[in-house]
Amino acid sequence: MLRVTVEVWPDGRERGKRIIATADIGRVKDGTLADYEVELQEVKLGSIGDIAYVRDYPRWSTTVWDLVARAIAAALNSGKEELPTRPLPDYEVG
């Protein structure tokens, strides 16, 4: 199991840091093409969406960050390994 932790460091200092979110990524099918499940949690909101899956992932083909990015993308976008549309800002830039 991989756990990705998001911390906030007030004023850029480790002292006073606090965890604001986690992603748990677990392998559910072994082999060269493995399946993973991911669950996202935010401290204030709890679970974010449903458990999502990355299927037939080619293990050892790239860095662990590729798996992390795909798992987070799948969890945020109904199981698709792509990022959802970026929200529009609440203000006009210009």
Side-chain angles (χ1 to χ4, degrees):
M1 162 112 38
L2 297 173
R3 172 164 275 186
V4 179
T5 303
V6 179
E7 296 177 338
V8 63
W9 289 23
D11 298 320
R13 297 185 181 152
E14 187 174 7
R15 189 172 145 228
K17 71 181 178 183
R18 67 184 192 284
I19 294 173
I20 59 172
T22 59
D24 291 332
I25 304 166
R27 191 172 63 234
V28 294
K29 184 186 104 185
D30 206 3
T32 304
L33 296 177
D35 291 347
Y36 294 86
E37 69 179 20
V38 59
E39 182 177 11
L40 303 181
Q41 297 271 335
E42 285 193 20
V43 171
K44 289 187 177 186
L45 300 176
S47 186
I48 305 296
D50 296 327
I51 292 176
Y53 295 88
V54 175
R55 300 199 187 278
D56 296 326
Y57 184 78
R59 295 174 68 197
W60 309 292
S61 63
T62 187
T63 74
V64 69
W65 291 109
D66 183 73
L67 173 60
V68 168
R70 290 173 186 279
I72 291 171
L76 291 175
N77 203 26
S78 303
K80 298 178 195 164
E81 289 181 43
E82 57 188 43
L83 290 177
T85 304
R86 178 184 276 191
L88 296 174
D90 292 335
Y91 57 88
E92 294 270 336
V93 177

